[in-house]
Amino acid sequence: MIYLKTDEEIELMRISNQLVAKTLGEVAKAIKPGVSTLELDKIAETFIRDNGGTPAFLNYQGFPNTLCTSVNEHVVHGIPSDKPLQEGDIVSVDCGVLLNDFYGDSAYTFPIGQVAPEVKALLDATKESLYKGIEQAIENNRLGDIGNAIQTYTEDLGYTVVREMVGHGIGKNLHEAPEVANYGKKGNGTKLKTGMVIAIEPMINLGKRQIVQEDDGWTIRTIDNKVSAHYEHTVAIRKGKADILSSFKFVEEILSLQSEK
Ligand code: MG
Ligand code: MG
């Protein structure tokens, strides 16, 4: 069943998601060639706890860390490691927080130093597709309108959409109904209502859309080892315009300062 949230609950979810957003901002300050994803994980865990939150992914179904860090051909659910990030890598950093009984969930794919133009283009397109999906996340639209917007935008650019991994409802549980696919047909699927809160998270591949799971039991990677990008916002459904509860503001302030250097 889909749990509808009251306005008060949505404000609590905004607080949880703003802590996620600020945590991703802390990651942005530290991320550069030579830093390991395990170091980023420590920064995130400390920051979340210092701000009264609990890392949502740590121990979730046995996941060992605070962040999911998915480098290059890794799509999602990568486990932080002590391997240093290298110039030209990309890394999806996915962060979840529990605060005041409500979850926040958001992800951003960071370029490490200069990345290849085709990889930068994939990042830009994937982020843009997230916003195309969010434009459709309004009362009386359907889930298929969100998926269709993401799929159409990215496939028209020659990319492929991961099908097996999807977004989700979120609230007092990290993952709630409904599933939010990144592909679909306009006018299909569950009708969207004010009070629904969903995490929209396109996973877009440069090569083939198929994925496999690594032997660690968590990490999802592309079958052809070509790169994949992933961005996620938690949004509340409203009339006319979705209310984005998470934010990339803190990340992008840091990234724009770095690009001016
Ligand atoms: Mg996430
Ligand atoms: Mg999620």
Side-chain angles (χ1 to χ4, degrees), residues 94 105 168 175 199 201 232:
D94 195 344
D105 189 6
H168 49 92
H175 298 120
E201 48 181 316
E232 176 179 27

Side-chain angles (χ1 to χ4, degrees), residues 3-242:
Y3 296 102
L4 298 180
K5 280 79 182 176
T6 64
D7 283 349
E8 290 77 14
E9 289 172 328
I10 288 171
E11 291 316 307
L12 290 175
M13 294 196 70
R14 193 186 312 280
I15 294 169
S16 305
N17 278 285
Q18 289 299 303
L19 179 53
V20 173
K22 288 172 189 167
T23 305
L24 291 174
E26 294 302 303
V27 168
K29 288 177 191 169
I31 203 163
K32 60 181 179 192
V35 169
S36 73
T37 48
L38 208 48
E39 290 171 80
L40 301 176
D41 187 74
K42 272 288 142 233
I43 289 166
E45 179 173 359
T46 302
F47 186 79
I48 290 167
R49 293 194 192 282
D50 284 352
N51 285 278
T54 305
F57 302 161
L58 184 63
N59 301 320
Y60 181 83
Q61 296 179 357
F63 189 78
N65 290 87
T66 291
L67 299 177
C68 292
T69 54
S70 306
V71 180
N72 296 337
E73 71 274 18
H74 292 161
V75 180
V76 287
H77 302 169
I79 299 173
S81 83
D82 58 8
K83 189 175 169 226
L85 293 165
Q86 294 181 27
E87 178 95 18
D89 285 345
I90 59 170
V91 56
S92 154
V93 177
D94 195 344
C95 182
V97 158
L98 176 62
L99 182 62
N100 301 318
D101 294 328
F102 284 94
Y103 284 93
D105 189 6
S106 180
Y108 196 93
T109 301
F110 293 86
I112 308 302
Q114 290 293 326
V115 302
E118 62 172 7
V119 175
K120 179 69 168 72
L122 174 71
L123 297 183
D124 292 344
T126 304
K127 190 169 69 171
E128 183 62 24
S129 80
L130 169 58
Y131 290 107
K132 297 282 183 199
I134 291 171
E135 274 176 23
Q136 299 298 319
I138 53 174
E139 183 164 283
N140 292 327
N141 266 8
R142 290 179 183 268
L143 281 171
D145 296 314
I146 297 173
N148 182 264
I150 293 167
Q151 180 181 18
T152 305
Y153 181 76
T154 53
E155 288 185 353
D156 283 354
L157 292 167
Y159 304 121
T160 63
V161 177
V162 172
R163 304 286 179 99
E164 296 85 347
M165 315 297 293
V166 294
H168 49 92
I170 178 169
K172 286 190 172 175
N173 306 288
L174 178 59
H175 298 120
E176 297 182 355
E179 291 194 343
V180 182
N182 299 303
Y183 64 96
K185 290 197 170 71
K186 277 185 194 171
N188 267 20
T190 300
K191 194 183 265 193
L192 303 175
K193 285 187 189 167
T194 291
M196 287 174 65
V197 180
I198 56 174
I200 304 176
E201 48 181 316
M203 290 151 260
I204 307 298
N205 297 350
L206 192 60
K208 294 194 166 93
R209 71 170 174 83
Q210 284 81 9
I211 54 171
V212 292
Q213 189 175 54
E214 300 278 28
D215 292 338
D216 63 17
W218 282 104
T219 310
I220 303 296
R221 76 162 164 81
T222 57
I223 197 166
D224 58 7
N225 288 311
K226 291 192 176 171
V227 298
S228 181
H230 172 225
Y231 292 82
E232 176 179 27
H233 272 315
T234 294
V235 307
I237 306 299
R238 305 272 195 202
K239 269 201 185 75
K241 193 170 193 294

